Structure formats: C-alpha cells, structure tokens
Amino acid sequence: MITIMKNAEKQYTSRNLDGNTPALATRRTGDAQPRRSSSTGSAAALTDKTRSQEQELEAVRREYAKLQQAIYEAAQVQRKLCSPRELVWGEYEIAGEIFAVRHLTGDFFKVMQLDGALGLALGDIAGKGLSAGIWQAHLMDLLQRCSRAHLHPADAVAAVNRELCLDQSEPPITALFFARLDPERNEVVYCNAGLPPPLVLRHNKSVERLEAGGPMLGALQEATYNSGSVRLDPGDMLLAYSDGLTECRNPQDEEFETGRLSAAAKSVRGASANQVLFSTLATVLDFADANPPEDDLTLLVIRRCEAALAERASEHKKSLAAPRRQQAPTARPRQVTKATITSI
C-alpha cells in the first residue's frame, strides 16, 4: 500500500514537471482573460456613447437658446410695430397695451396719422405663437395701405378682407376694429369686424356699445361692411379690447365680462388714458388671481380730455362777466329840406 502511494506521488510530480498541469492552468487562465477584456470594452463603449449623447444634448440646448433669443427679438419688433403706446393728440389722449401669454402674440393695435384724421385699429388674429405673430406684420401693413386708399372705414375694412381672401396661403381668420377720429368734428367713424363691441363711457356715466360693422376678415370675399359714428365729448372715453380680456376667467371659472370692464374704467374716471389703461389691466389680472390667462389681453383707450370742457366753460364765463361797451350814438346825417334850401 505504501509502495502504491509512492508510485502515485511520483507520477503526479512527473506530470507537473512535464508541464501537463501548467498547460491546464494556462488554458483556464486563457479562458478568463478574454472575459475581462470584453467587460472593459463594453464599459469603454458605454462611456463613449454617454459622452456623445451629452454633446448632442448640449448642442440642442445651444440651438434652443438661439431660438429663444430670436423669438425674444421678434417680440420686441412686434412691440415697435404696435405703436405708439402713448400719445397726446390735441384734446385727445391715446394709450394701448398688449399682455401676451407667450412671447409672440396674435393681437395688435395701431395708431396712425391719416391726413387730418387719426387712424385707430385693434385686431385679433386667430391662434397664438409663431404663426399668428408672422401674419401680424402683414395684416398691419395691409391695413395701413387700405386705410390710405379708402376714406371710409367700411371701405378700408372691405378692401383688407378681399386681399386676405385672395391670398393663396390660407391666412387666418382675423377680427378687426378700425376707426377714424376727426379732430374738427370730434367724431369717430368706425367699422367693427368681429371684435367685441368697443365701449364709449360717457362723462354722464352712460355706456354705449359700438356694434356697426360686419363679419371677421378672411372668411367671405364678398362680405359687406357698414360704418357707424359716435361723437366724443370732453370727459368721454372709448375702450377697444380683444376678447381675451373679457373672457379671462378666475379660479371659480367666471368670466371678467364687459360689465366688470366698464366698472373698472369708471372707477378711475378723471385719470389719464395711460392710468385708465394700466389700472384696468391690473383689475383683470387681479380677477384672474392664480388662474393664468389663456389668451392675449389687449386694450386701447381713447380719451377726450376734460380740460377742453373746463377751458370752454371758463371762456364762456369770462365772456359773460366782461362789461359790455356802450356804443356811442352816431350822428344822423342832416336832411336837406326845401325850407333849408330857401333859408340858404
């Protein structure tokens, strides 16, 4: 038994010396080496893919920043086109503002000189964002050309509508209020194409709605439009606005509506047009509270100053108080009679 064990030990030692066992060990080691190499390669590939994705993400961020900057610059151009924001014109104060829910807006207003009159426009293009913003500049240019070619507001609005309907690029539906203010007659001749009726707040606290006009622009090429007229007395105000203002909702899902609009403007009666403008917009936003507006808010205020009324009353009072000069009696021409001739 001891001899058998010694023989087995010699055979085992000889196998080690022959290199059979190391060969086996080498084979096993060789099996393990490729596995470590494969794992290292997978990790390197994953790192490269992650780095590539990070670079792509950074490139997207840079492009997004450029796009945001371009949209911001376009919004500034829009603000310049909708001008002037505040104007004093003879006895009248005009102020306008747009509260956009996005950078670019489909709402616009324009105050323009038309010979001896003043052109007043407020429009609302269907939709928001880039598409409506791009159409805005075209519509404002079209309106200015047509308002100079046609004296009557209804004719100018009809011409704008025909141009839009003939356009093959499918322009959006647009609501428009356009008016001419005559400073000599203190009269506003207007045409309202689809906007909520503007309000005239009288000095005596009465309210009138300007409803004469026709349908929205860009729908029917042969649509007909009518004009209305209203006189503005000292202390009267005209408010033109987009539907986003009166349809603004509060957390209880109530709309602001025209009743609250006229009440908000009346509460600052006697203030300047600019003060009425921002006070009214603040009232709308306070009403909305935590509920953000879903549409652009646009308001245009035209006010005939009460100073004109006070000045006229003062002049009339002075004319009554001034002493009247008595005219000196004029000597009558001497009549030559027959007796006079005889005496001569």
Side-chain angles (χ1 to χ4, degrees):
M1 184 67 180
I2 295 173
T3 305
I4 294 172
M5 291 178 64
K6 288 182 178 180
N7 291 334
E9 185 178 355
K10 289 179 180 180
Q11 290 177 2
Y12 177 77
T13 303
S14 65
R15 284 178 185 174
N16 285 338
L17 295 173
D18 292 339
N20 291 333
T21 301
L24 178 60
T26 302
R27 185 164 56 250
R28 289 179 179 173
T29 304
D31 289 343
Q33 285 291 345
R35 289 179 185 173
R36 284 199 298 268
S37 202
S38 174
S39 176
T40 303
S42 298
L46 182 60
T47 302
D48 291 342
K49 184 177 181 180
T50 302
R51 186 180 297 110
S52 176
Q53 289 177 342
E54 289 177 349
Q55 291 174 351
E56 291 178 1
L57 182 59
E58 183 61 29
V60 171
R61 287 172 178 165
R62 287 195 298 268
E63 288 299 319
Y64 180 75
K66 290 180 181 178
L67 178 61
Q68 288 293 100
Q69 180 63 27
I71 292 175
Y72 173 77
E73 291 173 358
Q76 298 309 304
V77 172
Q78 275 194 328
R79 287 187 63 83
K80 291 179 181 178
L81 290 175
C82 297
S83 61
R85 315 297 268 203
E86 186 178 7
L87 175 69
V88 176
W89 193 66
E91 297 180 11
Y92 293 90
E93 296 176 344
I94 299 99
E97 188 56 77
I98 300 173
F99 185 88
V101 295
R102 299 180 184 175
H103 286 301
L104 294 178
T105 172
D107 287 6
F108 65 90
F109 70 87
K110 188 66 179 176
V111 180
M112 56 194 123
Q113 189 77 36
L114 300 173
D115 297 328
L118 195 67
L120 307 166
L122 189 147
D124 184 359
I125 301 171
K128 295 180 285 294
L130 285 173
S131 176
I134 292 171
W135 275 105
Q136 185 205 79
H138 173 66
L139 273 165
M140 292 177 69
D141 176 69
L142 187 58
L143 175 61
Q144 290 190 72
R145 287 192 285 112
C146 291
S147 62
R148 287 181 169 83
H150 301 276
L151 182 62
H152 211 276
D155 295 336
V157 172
V160 172
N161 178 65
R162 285 193 298 271
E163 290 284 346
L164 288 177
C165 290
L166 291 173
D167 198 314
Q168 299 298 319
S169 54
E170 299 183 1
I173 302 299
T174 302
L176 175 69
F177 172 79
F178 174 62
R180 278 177 172 267
L181 172 58
D182 185 343
E184 297 296 329
R185 301 168 61 184
N186 294 304
E187 182 182 47
V188 176
V189 181
Y190 70 91
C191 179
N192 184 23
L195 272 180
L199 304 177
V200 175
L201 307 182
R202 295 294 186 186
H203 183 68
N204 61 8
K205 300 184 180 181
S206 63
V207 180
E208 297 179 23
R209 295 161 60 92
L210 306 185
E211 299 180 337
M216 291 186 178
L217 309 178
L220 302 172
Q221 181 175 346
E222 301 303 323
T224 58
Y225 295 89
N226 300 314
S227 289
S229 63
V230 62
R231 176 183 168 82
L232 293 181
D233 294 322
D236 290 348
M237 281 192 301
L238 191 157
L239 305 181
Y241 53 94
S242 64
D243 58 4
L245 194 144
T246 51
E247 293 176 3
C248 186
R249 295 178 178 273
N250 63 9
Q252 290 73 42
D253 203 33
E254 300 172 330
E255 291 188 349
F256 189 70
E257 299 181 340
T258 56
R260 290 187 176 92
L261 173 60
S262 60
K266 286 179 180 178
S267 67
V268 286
R269 180 177 296 279
S272 68
N274 198 51
Q275 291 171 329
V276 172
L277 172 79
F278 285 104
S279 175
T280 304
L281 288 175
T283 302
V284 176
L285 295 177
D286 287 344
F287 172 83
D289 197 13
N291 196 30
E294 297 179 357
D295 199 2
D296 302 325
L297 313 178
T298 304
L299 179 62
L300 182 64
V301 179
I302 299 96
R303 177 177 178 269
R304 188 178 178 193
C305 299
E306 294 175 330
L309 180 62
E311 184 178 348
R312 290 183 182 180
S314 177
E315 290 178 355
H316 181 64
K317 186 176 180 180
K318 288 180 180 179
S319 66
L320 293 177
R324 295 182 179 180
R325 294 181 179 179
Q326 294 183 354
Q327 293 182 349
T330 55
R332 293 182 179 180
R334 182 182 180 185
Q335 293 183 354
V336 181
T337 61
K338 185 177 181 180
T340 306
I341 297 174
T342 304
S343 63
I344 291 174

